[in-house]
Amino acid sequence: MSRLDGLYQQLILDHNKSPRNFGKLDPHSHYSHGVNPLCGDDYEVTLQVSPDGIIEKSAFVGSGCAISKSSGSLMTSAIEGKSVADVLALKDRFLNLLICDTVTEDDRAVLGKLAVLEGVKKFPARVKCAALVWRAIEDALSESAVQTISTE
Ligand code: ZN
């Protein structure tokens, strides 16, 4: 585990231990189920979106590694109160942070706490863990939601 030490920063550990918004919204307006078979991460994401397209509440529940769980906690904390369009733009910026070498200080400023997960870039297998809940949100918000998405 020692080479992962740099990755498990305090914030990630904290969100893994006490995930925010952990549960299932009932009722909810949007739903998706995301699985990452490589790691065993498996989460349901529920959203309550207002008629004018604002994420009023979001929650996630399930099981998986520290990276996937902290990503779900950070994501649900970050998107509440934002418009669907803003959340999808944030998702693109976050996924870019995980894989791209051209991340700017501007990107990091917009991402805020989400930027702590940038460390997974050095561990390609963990990128899917961090991205999973965002893929699920993307699916939940799409017109043709497929209910269960897989990283494979
Ligand atoms: Zn994982």
Side-chain angles (χ1 to χ4, degrees):
M1 290 298 280
S2 57
R3 55 188 289 267
L4 288 175
D5 281 352
L7 182 57
Y8 287 83
Q9 295 171 29
Q10 196 56 42
L11 193 60
I12 295 174
L13 284 170
D14 175 51
H15 278 266
N16 176 53
K17 206 171 128 199
S18 326
R20 320 311 191 252
N21 308 301
F22 198 70
K24 197 169 175 175
L25 297 178
D26 182 23
H28 56 260
S29 60
H30 293 69
Y31 171 88
S32 185
H33 175 214
V35 294
N36 174 16
L38 274 187
C39 180
D41 307 318
D42 187 322
Y43 295 98
E44 291 179 288
V45 172
T46 45
L47 302 170
Q48 186 60 42
V49 182
S50 72
D52 54 347
I54 302 296
I55 312 284
E56 290 179 332
K57 281 186 195 161
S58 66
F60 79 111
V61 72
S63 60
C65 67
I67 296 298
S68 62
K69 189 173 282 182
S70 58
S71 187
S73 178
L74 287 160
M75 178 187 76
T76 51
S77 302
I79 66 174
E80 284 186 13
K82 288 191 164 65
S83 70
V84 168
D86 283 351
V87 167
L88 292 175
L90 193 65
K91 181 255 320 167
D92 287 340
R93 212 183 273 256
F94 179 73
L95 296 181
N96 191 51
L97 174 87
L98 300 181
I99 56 171
C100 204
D101 286 327
T102 57
V103 178
T104 64
E105 284 311 312
D106 230 34
D107 290 323
R108 291 191 186 90
V110 171
L111 288 163
K113 284 183 184 171
L114 296 168
V116 303
L117 287 163
E118 185 174 6
V120 304
K121 193 180 285 173
K122 287 176 276 179
F123 309 93
R126 313 312 299 275
V127 168
K128 287 176 178 172
C129 300
L132 180 62
V133 288
W134 289 89
R135 296 287 186 202
I137 280 270
E138 179 181 32
D139 178 60
L141 292 172
S142 72
E143 293 291 323
S144 52
V146 293
Q147 301 295 301
T148 297
I149 56 124
S150 173
T151 54
E152 296 308 301

